[in-house]
Amino acid sequence: DLEKFHQFADPFDADDPAIVADDGGVIAFQGAGLVLRLLTLGTSIFVCSNTGVFQVSGPNASFKATDFTTFSVLKDGIDGPENVIAVDDEFIIYGQDTIWRSTIQSSLNVTTAGQATFKSLSENRVETLYTSIPRASKAAARALYNPSERRAYYFYNASSTDFDNSYNSLEQPGYSKDVLVLDTRFQD
């Protein structure tokens, strides 16, 4: 069974070190900055960084190391690794400036390149509140989705104290005084 987990081509073979379709590899993104989160949705991988969101897709709904396409799909980056959540067949990004919801299910069928698009959820709703949250608080914030209520919760601290600086960055116990709740059942 061990041979199932090895690639077929040998990168150390002096005669034929070429990469083949089922190999792994490294994907370089121009201007990606610090990658904070990866999210798989449908047949694409989304790479979320402090400079934006990138989409990686392959032909015929499958990824191949020898044939893939990358897109920069959102210029608003994220400040922390917990600022992206999957919501049903889409996802929500709590960006540096705006809260975004992907429109993948409708846009992948419409755009010729298969590129995801995003719609602002905070514009004309909670924009003033969201932009007033300090970037340090967004970096330590945590987004969660409750599928039974269909609500997204964004836990953060509007103001930072010594206690917050010491304990909020820890995985457990976690500490947040403020929460922003988005009901995902309502759309424009």
Side-chain angles (χ1 to χ4, degrees), residues 17-18 74 77 98 102 108 121 128 143 148:
L74 185 64
T98 305
S102 64
L108 285 182
L121 290 179
T128 304
S148 63

Side-chain angles (χ1 to χ4, degrees), residues 30-32 46-55 70-78 83-84 91-103 115-121 130:
Q30 180 99 16
F46 292 88
V47 179
C48 305
S49 76
N50 65 334
T51 61
V53 177
F54 301 85
Q55 179 182 354
T70 61
F71 303 104
S72 174
V73 292
L74 185 64
K75 297 290 186 198
D76 188 11
I78 61 172
N83 289 345
V84 179
F91 60 98
I92 293 177
I93 295 176
Y94 292 85
Q96 293 167 342
D97 301 317
T98 305
I99 303 170
W100 302 95
R101 182 170 182 147
S102 64
T103 53
Q115 193 171 341
T117 58
F118 292 86
K119 178 181 179 183
S120 172
L121 290 179
Y130 187 70

Side-chain angles (χ1 to χ4, degrees), residues 5 44 72 89 105 108 144 155 173:
F5 302 103
S44 295
S72 174
D89 293 332
Q105 294 306 315
L108 285 182
L144 298 170
F155 296 95

Side-chain angles (χ1 to χ4, degrees), residues 23 33 40 44 69 79 98 105 110 112 126 130 143 147-149 162 172 186:
D23 282 349
T40 304
S44 295
T69 306
D79 287 315
T98 305
Q105 294 306 315
V110 174
T112 57
V126 293
Y130 187 70
S148 63
E149 295 179 335
D162 289 339
Q172 297 296 330
F186 301 107

Side-chain angles (χ1 to χ4, degrees), residues 6-186:
H6 292 282
Q7 62 190 47
F8 290 105
D10 183 1
F12 299 108
D13 185 347
D15 297 328
D16 186 19
I19 194 167
V20 296
D22 63 350
D23 282 349
V26 176
I27 301 172
F29 296 96
Q30 180 99 16
L34 178 63
V35 174
L36 296 167
R37 183 80 186 261
L38 298 175
L39 182 71
T40 304
L41 202 58
T43 59
S44 295
I45 298 171
F46 292 88
V47 179
C48 305
S49 76
N50 65 334
T51 61
V53 177
F54 301 85
Q55 179 182 354
V56 182
S57 301
N60 303 321
S62 65
F63 177 81
K64 296 181 179 182
T66 56
D67 189 11
F68 60 88
T69 306
T70 61
F71 303 104
S72 174
V73 292
L74 185 64
K75 297 290 186 198
D76 188 11
I78 61 172
D79 287 315
E82 302 297 325
N83 289 345
V84 179
I85 53 172
V87 175
D88 301 323
D89 293 332
E90 308 288 341
F91 60 98
I92 293 177
I93 295 176
Y94 292 85
Q96 293 167 342
D97 301 317
T98 305
I99 303 170
W100 302 95
R101 182 170 182 147
S102 64
T103 53
I104 295 170
Q105 294 306 315
S106 58
S107 69
L108 285 182
N109 296 327
V110 174
T111 61
T112 57
Q115 193 171 341
T117 58
F118 292 86
K119 178 181 179 183
S120 172
L121 290 179
S122 56
E123 187 178 350
N124 299 325
R125 292 182 179 98
V126 293
E127 189 167 10
T128 304
L129 170 67
Y130 187 70
T131 56
S132 70
I133 300 172
R135 295 222 18 208
S137 296
K138 289 178 184 177
R142 176 169 295 188
L144 298 170
Y145 178 64
N146 183 339
S148 63
E149 295 179 335
R150 297 197 51 162
R151 290 190 177 144
Y153 295 87
Y154 187 67
F155 296 95
Y156 66 98
N157 289 318
S159 58
S160 182
T161 65
D162 289 339
F163 183 84
D164 299 332
N165 295 335
S166 298
Y167 296 104
N168 197 33
S169 63
L170 301 175
E171 286 294 321
Q172 297 296 330
Y175 172 72
S176 295
K177 299 178 291 199
D178 304 296
V179 64
L180 174 63
V181 181
L182 294 174
D183 193 330
T184 63
R185 293 176 291 183
F186 301 107

